[in-house]
Amino acid sequence: MIRLILFIGRNKFYPYICLFLVMLAFLYTNPLETFDKRYAVSFIGAICGLLCVVLLAKRKNSGNIVGMMAASAESTANVLGNNIGVASLSVFYFISHIYGLVNWRKNQNNNKVVKVRQLKENHFLATLVFLILATFFNIYLTEQLNVSNTSYQLIANCFIFGLGIIAQLLLMMRFSFNWYLWIILNVLTVALNIYTNNPVIATQYLIYLFNAIYGVCEWKVDSKQTKD
């Protein structure tokens, strides 16, 4: 199974297949008949986001540049859909990609790919505390902005917000454990966008889910050769 995932992820046609699937999801919304600003912005964010995660999974620093473009579009689309937790997360993603651009550039091997780090046991407690704090912050932010959320939508946004901050920090700090958190986050995001009727973002994060699984395999294999 790992060999199959690596074969698909490393195939030169993989990024094009991802873009094609998102294009189909966007066409499903009938953009030529009924234009929806949220879907249009989501489509732009999806294209940039897919290129970003594919490049990051391959440990290419250029993924951080594309990631800043994706974060801007995704934040706007989620504000339009009242998903404040996810929208706030995209703002954080934008800032973190700036740090990642610098950090990854300093820690590349001779093949211009980033060196992988392993998470230590003493980091897990800090990760859990940070997740709890981020969850409560999202609840506070949603209330202050007077955004109407169902109970399910609020809970999903809280977990996505918390997990996203931690996973992104670990990714920018080059810890391979980040991909396991992305798997959980992507499952929640797919479910949330199906619930709030956004097939473009749902398809985008379904592809992200596979890419996160690919990231686990790719970084696990390469970590043996690129340890600090």
Side-chain angles (χ1 to χ4, degrees), residues 42-119:
S42 295
F43 177 64
I44 295 173
I47 295 297
C48 294
L50 285 170
L51 293 175
C52 167
V53 298
V54 169
L55 290 170
L56 292 180
K58 295 178 180 296
R59 297 181 293 138
K60 298 294 185 179
N61 198 22
S62 55
N64 285 302
I65 298 175
V66 184
M68 286 184 265
M69 300 167 59
S72 300
E74 289 181 11
S75 179
T76 302
N78 279 297
V79 167
L80 294 174
N82 290 334
N83 293 323
I84 300 303
V86 184
S88 303
L89 194 55
S90 295
V91 175
F92 169 77
Y93 288 165
F94 182 90
I95 298 172
S96 68
H97 279 302
I98 298 175
Y99 165 73
L101 186 65
V102 176
N103 185 42
W104 282 36
R105 184 175 296 169
K106 292 180 179 179
N107 295 279
Q108 293 179 330
N109 61 21
N110 294 331
N111 295 320
K112 299 298 181 181
V113 294
V114 72
K115 299 177 182 178
V116 176
R117 301 172 65 188
Q118 300 300 315
L119 198 66

Side-chain angles (χ1 to χ4, degrees), residues 1-11 14 58 209-218:
M1 181 60 71
I2 294 179
R3 290 183 178 179
L4 176 61
I5 293 172
L6 289 173
F7 172 77
I8 296 173
R10 291 173 176 176
N11 192 286
Y14 170 57
K58 295 178 180 296
L209 176 59
F210 172 80
N211 194 75
I213 297 173
Y214 163 62
V216 169
C217 299
E218 187 70 70

Side-chain angles (χ1 to χ4, degrees), residues 40-200:
V41 176
S42 295
F43 177 64
I44 295 173
I47 295 297
C48 294
L50 285 170
L51 293 175
C52 167
V53 298
V54 169
L55 290 170
L56 292 180
K58 295 178 180 296
R59 297 181 293 138
K60 298 294 185 179
N61 198 22
S62 55
N64 285 302
I65 298 175
V66 184
M68 286 184 265
M69 300 167 59
S72 300
E74 289 181 11
S75 179
T76 302
N78 279 297
V79 167
L80 294 174
N82 290 334
N83 293 323
I84 300 303
V86 184
S88 303
L89 194 55
S90 295
V91 175
F92 169 77
Y93 288 165
F94 182 90
I95 298 172
S96 68
H97 279 302
I98 298 175
Y99 165 73
L101 186 65
V102 176
N103 185 42
W104 282 36
R105 184 175 296 169
K106 292 180 179 179
N107 295 279
Q108 293 179 330
N109 61 21
N110 294 331
N111 295 320
K112 299 298 181 181
V113 294
V114 72
K115 299 177 182 178
V116 176
R117 301 172 65 188
Q118 300 300 315
L119 198 66
K120 305 298 182 181
E121 293 182 2
N122 59 345
H123 294 143
F124 281 98
L125 179 59
T127 299
L128 180 60
V129 171
F130 203 88
L131 174 60
I132 295 173
L133 292 175
T135 299
F136 279 104
F137 175 75
N138 178 66
I139 295 175
Y140 170 78
L141 186 61
T142 303
E143 291 178 348
Q144 291 299 310
L145 294 176
N146 294 317
V147 175
S148 176
N149 276 182
T150 64
S151 297
Y152 171 78
Q153 193 174 1
L154 179 60
I155 293 172
N157 269 283
C158 284
F159 277 103
I160 291 171
F161 181 73
L163 285 171
I165 287 180
I166 297 170
Q168 184 74 359
L169 280 174
L170 294 179
L171 175 59
M172 296 300 97
M173 295 172 70
R174 303 177 289 113
F175 286 110
S176 59
F177 185 76
N178 81 88
W179 293 110
Y180 294 99
L181 298 182
W182 285 121
I183 291 174
I184 300 173
L185 184 149
N186 290 329
V187 170
L188 290 173
T189 306
V190 169
L192 177 64
N193 280 280
I194 291 175
Y195 181 76
T196 57
N197 193 31
N198 191 340
V200 178

